[in-house]
Amino acid sequence: MLERNAVNTRDHASSGIGLDNRSISKNKRMFVDWHMRYKGFTQNYTRIRKSVAKLETWAGKHSPQLLSSFAPGLGWMGGESIPVRELLRVVSDSPAMRDFLILYHFHDGQRRIQRFFDFGLFGSYECYGQFCSLSWLPSRMLQVVQMSHFKILIFAWCHNTLNYLGIVVDCPESYAEQIKHHVVQMQPQSFRIVDKGLFGQFFDSYVDSLIHNNHDIRNGVISMMPNSGPYTSSSLSRGIRTTVSVMFCADETPRFRVYRYQVTFEIVDPAALGFASVQLKERYWLIRYGEGKYTEVGGAGVVGEFPFISVDEPFYRYCSRVQDEMEDLSVEGFEGFFTLVPGSLDEPLGEDIILPVPFVEVPVPLELR
């Protein structure tokens, strides 16, 4: 459709007919304005349309709440509407940004009511009582923030934790080839960033990860930290699957690199477990740093709790943190195990059960100097 109409526009231009009120109709002038703005968007439109269709189909089956939160799209409105003018004001006219612009053609972010609940498009987590949900911002709420010599367009935001996703729209020339127009999370002051690639690649990959069940969905809420892939580990022992996933905390103190990790226990084979319930007793972590150094951390329970996991309630999840501790050495990853008791700590019904955690690498951020 885009290419067909583009030919018509070129025909007018080549015929020497002036593009004014006397030679073309009002509708034709509107199309010419539209064509000049969206010329070259054909491939972007096709790719993003496919990803949006897959996302809508997936959300309809797994998170109707998320699907209902999507606002109507801006459509092909040129620069006539205030939302489109605001969107174009903060987005550079670059081929690398066309996927981002086209996404708003289909949906103008998430609606205001649902946006501030649990159903952020880009996932949620709860850690030490603090809840974070990354919601997709509508065009009128997009803003560019200045971080020293970097300008970042914020398109996803959590008002509780100030976590965000943004696109680098301007940066020093020495970093332009590396991160300009990339989706990032940047830690203020320290300029440590997690680079997620160009927006189109990031969005396509994220939608595919949802479709392939790489993120847990509980009551329609997407877990921000994936259950498989890079920076995760998983094991299955005595019918209980233990999954650990890690992310860099761009919202934490810049003094250290801080990582948030999520541990999920789920009974997937009650027969292999052999008991109606188990209670978590102890944890043990071996945290590895550079140069072969490590520390050992252990203790009773997790985050002050001794949770039960049962056939009736087979799922338990908690979140905690790990950070650089040794001077001039950063965390590279960690491994360990959990000890569970059949029955309960007060009335054990058998020998302890050990749930191993294979080594999981942490996503060390890029350091911009």
Side-chain angles (χ1 to χ4, degrees):
M1 183 271 287
L2 301 181
E3 292 175 346
R4 183 173 64 251
N5 286 331
V7 171
N8 293 338
T9 306
R10 286 195 296 270
D11 290 343
H12 274 279
S14 62
S15 66
I17 299 176
L19 300 180
D20 56 29
N21 288 335
R22 292 170 297 177
S23 58
I24 59 176
S25 66
K26 178 180 178 181
N27 289 340
K28 196 64 175 179
R29 287 200 317 276
M30 290 176 62
F31 170 74
V32 170
D33 290 341
W34 172 90
H35 169 72
M36 295 304 296
R37 184 173 302 283
Y38 293 108
K39 182 180 179 180
F41 278 62
T42 306
Q43 293 182 347
N44 309 81
Y45 176 87
T46 301
R47 180 170 58 251
I48 296 300
R49 181 186 62 182
K50 290 180 180 178
S51 289
V52 169
K54 291 193 294 185
L55 174 62
E56 291 172 342
T57 300
W58 175 88
K61 295 179 180 178
H62 300 279
S63 181
Q65 305 95 325
L66 174 65
L67 182 61
S68 67
S69 76
F70 293 155
L74 299 180
W76 303 115
M77 295 187 290
E80 297 299 320
S81 70
I82 291 176
V84 173
R85 288 204 299 270
E86 288 299 303
L87 179 60
L88 296 173
R89 180 178 63 83
V90 297
V91 176
S92 62
D93 185 19
S94 165
M97 297 296 292
R98 288 173 181 169
D99 289 324
F100 182 75
L101 280 168
I102 288 295
L103 183 59
Y104 281 84
H105 166 83
F106 296 102
H107 292 290
D108 187 13
Q110 291 183 264
R111 302 175 193 270
R112 179 178 178 82
I113 296 177
Q114 291 97 330
R115 193 169 63 244
F116 295 118
F117 288 95
D118 300 351
F119 305 106
L121 171 60
F122 298 105
S124 304
Y125 70 80
E126 184 175 1
C127 193
Y128 292 108
Q130 188 177 51
F131 185 79
C132 173
S133 185
L134 269 181
S135 298
W136 176 20
L137 296 178
S139 56
R140 67 181 181 278
M141 294 185 67
L142 295 174
Q143 59 178 312
V144 175
V145 298
Q146 183 92 35
M147 296 186 184
S148 184
H149 301 297
F150 299 86
K151 290 183 178 180
I152 300 179
L153 165 64
I154 307 298
F155 68 87
W157 176 259
C158 172
H159 70 290
N160 287 331
T161 65
L162 308 186
N163 258 305
Y164 72 90
L165 286 172
I167 300 176
V168 179
V169 293
D170 195 17
C171 64
E173 189 64 28
S174 57
Y175 294 112
E177 185 176 349
Q178 186 177 16
I179 64 169
K180 189 172 183 180
H181 299 138
H182 282 214
V183 176
V184 301
Q185 289 177 304
M186 178 180 286
Q187 188 179 54
Q189 302 179 42
S190 75
F191 302 112
R192 300 185 183 112
I193 72 166
V194 177
D195 181 3
K196 298 179 180 289
L198 294 172
F199 181 83
Q201 300 166 351
F202 159 76
F203 188 73
D204 289 349
S205 176
Y206 180 66
V207 171
D208 286 342
S209 73
L210 294 176
I211 292 172
H212 295 144
N213 299 318
N214 292 342
H215 293 260
D216 290 335
I217 313 297
R218 310 290 296 184
N219 300 319
V221 177
I222 302 170
S223 174
M224 187 180 300
M225 287 181 269
N227 56 36
S228 61
Y231 316 119
T232 68
S233 76
S234 182
S235 68
L236 179 62
S237 180
R238 293 289 297 273
I240 300 177
R241 178 179 291 118
T242 306
T243 305
V244 178
S245 53
V246 191
M247 63 181 288
F248 173 67
C249 301
D251 57 315
E252 294 285 351
T253 171
R255 288 187 57 200
F256 306 101
R257 298 175 190 86
V258 182
Y259 303 93
R260 186 175 290 113
Y261 66 90
Q262 178 177 272
V263 181
T264 303
F265 304 99
E266 184 173 13
I267 298 176
V268 295
D269 188 349
L273 177 60
F275 298 94
S277 67
V278 291
Q279 187 174 11
L280 196 146
K281 176 182 177 182
E282 297 171 338
R283 71 192 186 280
Y284 167 82
W285 294 118
L286 177 68
I287 304 171
R288 298 192 180 277
Y289 302 85
E291 300 181 5
K293 296 185 178 181
Y294 63 88
T295 58
E296 297 178 271
V297 179
V302 291
V303 293
E305 298 180 353
F306 298 87
F308 282 92
I309 311 170
S310 68
V311 174
D312 293 331
E313 297 184 9
F315 181 91
Y316 177 79
R317 170 178 290 160
Y318 81 95
C319 185
S320 190
R321 299 182 181 93
V322 61
Q323 67 182 41
D324 297 343
E325 296 286 356
M326 296 186 175
E327 187 174 356
D328 299 326
L329 290 177
S330 61
V331 176
E332 294 183 345
F334 55 93
E335 58 196 283
F337 60 85
F338 294 91
T339 304
L340 284 72
V341 174
S344 68
L345 295 177
D346 294 333
E347 298 182 3
L349 301 177
E351 296 182 354
D352 290 352
I353 297 173
I354 303 298
L355 302 182
V357 176
F359 180 80
V360 54
E361 182 183 4
V362 301
V364 178
L366 177 67
E367 299 272 355
L368 300 182
R369 300 294 184 183

